[in-house]
Amino acid sequence: MNPPYTRQEEMESLVFPEGYRATLQRLASEEWDGFYVGKRSSIYSYFFFHGGQFLKEKGRLGLITSNSWLDVDYGKYLQSFFLENFKIIAIIESKVERWFEDADINTAITILEECGGKEKKDERDNNVVKFVQLKKPLSHYIPPTLLAKNEKERRKYEEKRWNAVKKLIEATINVKEYHEDNDLRVFPKKQGELWKEGYDERKKVYVGSQWGKYTRAPSVFFKILKRGKDKLVMIEQLGEVRYPIKTGVNKFFYVTKKVIDEFDIEDEFLSHVVKTPKEFETILLNTTNLKKFLFSCPLSKAKLTKLGKNGALQYIKWGEKQVTKARQKTPAGVPWPEVPSVQGRKYWYFIPEIKAADVLCNRFFDRRFFFGFTTKPVIEDQTFYGLTYYSSDQNLKKAQTAVLNSTLMALFVEPAGAIKVAQGVLQYAKDQMGRLITIDASKVSHNTRAKLVRTFEDLSKRRLGSIFEEIDAEKPENVSLDKVKPDRRKLDELIMREILALSDEEQLDIYKAVIDLVKARMDRAKSVGKRKKKIKGIDVDALVEDIFEEVGKGRLMK
């Protein structure tokens, strides 16, 4: 099966009537004994819920869907559903291509086998899930679909394709141990371990885990997890990760220097705003490069008049005469003070004071990897999440920010993000950012912390290049420790050698893995197929059905 690639709210607004989402939630709950489905779950989730109802004992179900459920917060509902009702036979992703160009999204094949009920828990827990990464295009594994001249030729082509499908299955699903070669990688993981990984013992509920690392992360990633397990934490354990500011009316609240000069707006009502990663030429933000300011006024118009704050007063009065333009869910002609998202405030033109965060975490990663910071108060817009450390120790905070800007973090960032943008940009939701792992600087010696701070000083002030420029390599085979930019290499060596005790060879593996991961993401975004869901002669829908039929021993769903 190949369900639509869209979220419920998109289906509801574009195709189905209002309330369709709630109807799907209710049906899933009725079919699966009260199972709760999150409101943000994608529409394809319900194909799993409903399709699972048709399985006989040990019957199999396979779908090709967006791979977002592997890592995003709302994916926990599908993960829990799979873990409690099925044996997860395999999850398959491609390293090198997008299977459906039209869908503008990255996909995964999921194959499940019926195994529900409390009495089958041990059977489920002992099942070994195969996380498969295909390293070559589909055309490498499966012969192209060709137009036969006659029945004999058609059978010949069909037999050749079926033999190729069987060979691919043998090389993936039937593998019992970790396997990697030039064609593919298979990472086996016990299903019970996946449950424990995502189960919160304190809350007594399954909260989800990031499964994408098992299909995407290189072997050195797991070596580091093991080697540094006593020093690794999630970012949310170091501080609070917050959503970016939502003004309600950006055209009013975000002002340029030209508007400030035009109305002569007083400085006390203005704050620096960083809107895009491009404004971070260096990791330490140079606020003189910022083009926008946040306007927010906590005073009534009467108070402004009394205090002679005429600039802010006139700007507010101007704003009260403006109306919205039609866009997305916002109708045209609504006066700015009556926009729903500014209601409930003390004054419509006042955004409650926001304390500047310690670190600005990128919501989107392309070719540059950094966690920015500034020495002056700056408010983050929609392309960042603010991280405010729990610790008040300034040296510890500086050391932690240094760690976040090491090349090791690029290795952690790549497998855990969601590729939702057609150009291959890696996207992070707030909960994903909070669950991102890093080294806890408080668990290293004071001497090492001091060295981290000193080493990071120069690196943070110079122009930051792409990861390919920083490591000075476009391909993994071109990586050399001597070619890495000296200041970056010095910081990385402190973390890789002094903190994690990694050898030169292991450090080289990290650099190679980072280059390989980013290059693969870029290349996959560029991959295109023929418009009717074909890749180099392969009908992807037909191929998926072939694989599912073979895996299902004759039928996709028994």
Side-chain angles (χ1 to χ4, degrees), residues 505-544:
E505 184 178 354
E506 290 169 325
Q507 294 177 54
L508 189 64
D509 286 342
I510 290 174
Y511 290 120
K512 286 182 176 180
V514 169
I515 292 295
D516 186 49
L517 285 166
V518 179
K519 182 178 183 301
R521 172 163 56 84
M522 299 290 105
D523 290 346
R524 187 165 60 248
K526 295 174 185 176
S527 71
V528 292
K530 293 184 179 179
R531 300 303 293 181
K532 293 185 179 179
K533 298 182 180 178
K534 288 190 176 183
I535 298 177
K536 294 183 180 179
I538 293 179
D539 186 321
V540 179
D541 281 337
L543 171 61
V544 170

Side-chain angles (χ1 to χ4, degrees), residues 433-453:
M433 183 58 66
R435 296 203 303 264
L436 188 61
I437 58 174
T438 186
I439 291 174
D440 184 351
S442 71
K443 296 183 179 180
V444 303
S445 69
H446 286 278
N447 182 48
T448 300
R449 276 189 238 163
K451 286 192 280 187
L452 284 170
V453 173

Side-chain angles (χ1 to χ4, degrees), residues 44-97:
Y44 63 75
S45 301
Y46 296 95
F47 284 77
F48 283 110
F49 299 136
H50 191 57
Q53 285 288 307
F54 295 93
L55 296 184
K56 296 180 180 179
E57 185 176 357
K58 295 189 180 297
R60 289 187 174 181
L61 168 67
L63 278 83
I64 181 166
T65 68
S66 162
N67 62 3
S68 61
W69 67 270
L70 290 168
D71 298 296
V72 297
D73 180 59
Y74 57 78
K76 64 189 176 187
Y77 302 107
L78 265 187
Q79 291 179 9
S80 174
F81 176 68
F82 295 162
L83 292 169
E84 294 185 272
N85 295 284
F86 305 91
K87 286 182 183 179
I88 305 171
I89 304 301
I91 296 169
I92 307 171
E93 287 189 315
S94 172
K95 179 182 179 180
V96 297
E97 64 185 350

Side-chain angles (χ1 to χ4, degrees), residues 255-267 270 311:
V255 295
T256 62
K257 291 178 181 178
K258 180 179 178 181
V259 171
I260 293 170
D261 292 340
E262 181 182 342
F263 286 90
D264 197 19
I265 301 174
E266 294 78 6
D267 289 344
L270 301 169

Side-chain angles (χ1 to χ4, degrees), residues 57 161 215 222 253 275:
E57 185 176 357
R161 283 171 52 78
T215 56
F222 298 99
F253 288 99
K275 290 183 66 66

Side-chain angles (χ1 to χ4, degrees), residues 310-461:
N310 194 54
L313 179 63
Q314 293 306 314
Y315 184 63
I316 292 168
K317 288 182 177 180
W318 171 84
E320 289 174 338
K321 298 176 183 178
Q322 309 307 309
V323 297
T324 60
K325 294 182 179 180
R327 59 184 301 271
Q328 295 180 343
K329 296 182 179 180
T330 304
V334 179
W336 283 357
E338 296 177 19
V339 170
S341 51
V342 303
Q343 301 299 302
R345 296 175 180 172
K346 182 179 179 181
Y347 306 111
W348 76 270
Y349 48 82
F350 173 55
I351 297 175
E353 185 177 354
I354 301 172
K355 185 179 179 181
D358 293 312
V359 176
L360 301 180
C361 307
N362 271 302
R363 184 179 172 188
F364 304 97
F365 291 89
D366 189 14
R367 293 170 173 81
R368 293 199 308 159
F369 291 79
F370 69 92
F371 288 75
F373 73 105
T374 177
T375 55
K376 297 180 180 179
V378 171
I379 303 302
E380 69 275 10
D381 189 49
Q382 295 297 306
T383 54
F384 300 95
Y385 299 112
L387 169 62
T388 303
Y389 292 126
Y390 294 132
S391 173
S392 59
D393 185 325
Q394 292 301 315
N395 285 326
L396 176 57
K397 291 200 284 189
K398 290 177 181 178
Q400 189 64 62
T401 304
V403 169
L404 290 175
N405 283 284
S406 68
T407 304
L408 185 65
M409 278 306 297
L411 180 68
F412 292 155
V413 165
E414 270 294 325
I419 308 173
K420 291 187 175 181
V421 183
Q423 290 75 23
V425 176
L426 202 63
Q427 180 176 337
Y428 266 77
K430 174 180 168 291
D431 58 280
Q432 287 176 289
M433 183 58 66
R435 296 203 303 264
L436 188 61
I437 58 174
T438 186
I439 291 174
D440 184 351
S442 71
K443 296 183 179 180
V444 303
S445 69
H446 286 278
N447 182 48
T448 300
R449 276 189 238 163
K451 286 192 280 187
L452 284 170
V453 173
R454 288 196 301 271
T455 304
F456 184 52
E457 182 79 14
D458 292 335
L459 173 58
S460 67
K461 295 177 181 178

